Amino acid sequence: MKLYVTRHGETPMNAAHRVCGLTNIDLTEKGIAQAKEAGRSLQDKGIKRIIASPLLRAQHTARLIADEIGIDTIETEQRLIEQNYGIYENTDWDGKAFNANKREFAVRYPGGESMLDLAGRLYPLLSKLKAENGPTTLLVCHGGICRMIRTYFLDVKNTDYAAFKLPNCGIMEFDL
């Protein structure tokens, strides 16, 4: 089974370089254009199923992509919701403490989730999709989720994990 994964389009918090976890925010005009372009780039990939995070920015991105590739139904999956960054929500994404915490897999963001917590909810979803061996699928989610999904397929050192950032509407492709 072929699996595509994309991050939502740009939001006002992304444009301001702010950590955006559970804040339910919509796309900017640039984000809308990014999502439409992602949809056009996915038209010939044979995607038959779209599963998206319940957050508005991912749902909006998924709808714009679905319109471009001709899919009517978007499934919503709670496990694709962005990581809970706790006290770092709406802080500068280049912040020293935030980035130090990102390199500590077993340490929760104060008031939020650890990377192990995140893997604990995402890996079972990916294993379920693998066992189903269904149609070519697109997951529409968030930067932190994309970062963790990548570790399901690749061995990634903590420092490389922390440094990885999929651009808005960037697309990853995996064989599941």
Side-chain angles (χ1 to χ4, degrees), residues 13 16-20 85-95 98:
M13 287 176 76
H17 298 246
R18 308 299 287 176
V19 175
C20 186
Y85 295 115
I87 65 169
Y88 297 113
E89 185 75 15
N90 200 24
T91 63
D92 185 331
W93 73 29
D94 290 324
F98 171 69

Side-chain angles (χ1 to χ4, degrees), residues 4 42-50 65 69 71 135-138:
Y4 292 90
L42 291 167
Q43 285 176 339
D44 65 346
K45 303 298 183 187
I47 295 169
K48 302 293 183 210
R49 182 182 190 192
I50 298 177
I65 291 172
I69 63 176
I71 292 182
T136 299
T137 299
L138 171 67

Side-chain angles (χ1 to χ4, degrees), residues 56-172:
L56 179 60
R57 60 194 183 266
Q59 288 286 317
H60 194 174
T61 300
R63 175 49 38 213
L64 292 167
I65 291 172
D67 289 348
E68 291 292 332
I69 63 176
I71 292 182
D72 294 326
T73 303
I74 297 168
E75 299 172 45
T76 299
E77 174 54 64
Q78 192 69 29
R79 290 175 284 188
L80 291 176
I81 202 166
E82 178 61 297
Q83 185 167 9
N84 182 344
Y85 295 115
I87 65 169
Y88 297 113
E89 185 75 15
N90 200 24
T91 63
D92 185 331
W93 73 29
D94 290 324
K96 193 178 225 179
F98 171 69
N99 281 288
N101 206 143
K102 196 189 293 184
R103 292 187 295 274
E104 301 294 333
F105 271 47
V107 178
R108 288 181 178 87
Y109 290 106
E113 293 176 283
S114 71
M115 274 35 91
L116 290 178
D117 293 332
L118 192 58
R121 69 175 156 96
L122 287 173
Y123 280 23
L125 171 62
L126 296 168
S127 293
K128 177 180 177 265
L129 291 173
K130 183 177 183 176
E132 289 174 355
N133 195 26
T136 299
T137 299
L138 171 67
L139 302 181
V140 181
C141 46
H142 308 275
I145 302 304
C146 292
R147 185 180 304 117
M148 185 57 71
I149 287 172
R150 189 170 165 258
T151 70
Y152 184 86
F153 298 95
L154 305 170
D155 288 331
V156 178
K157 295 181 185 289
N158 286 5
T159 52
D160 295 334
Y161 173 88
F164 178 78
K165 186 169 195 157
L166 189 67
N168 292 106
C169 288
I171 299 167
M172 299 186 295

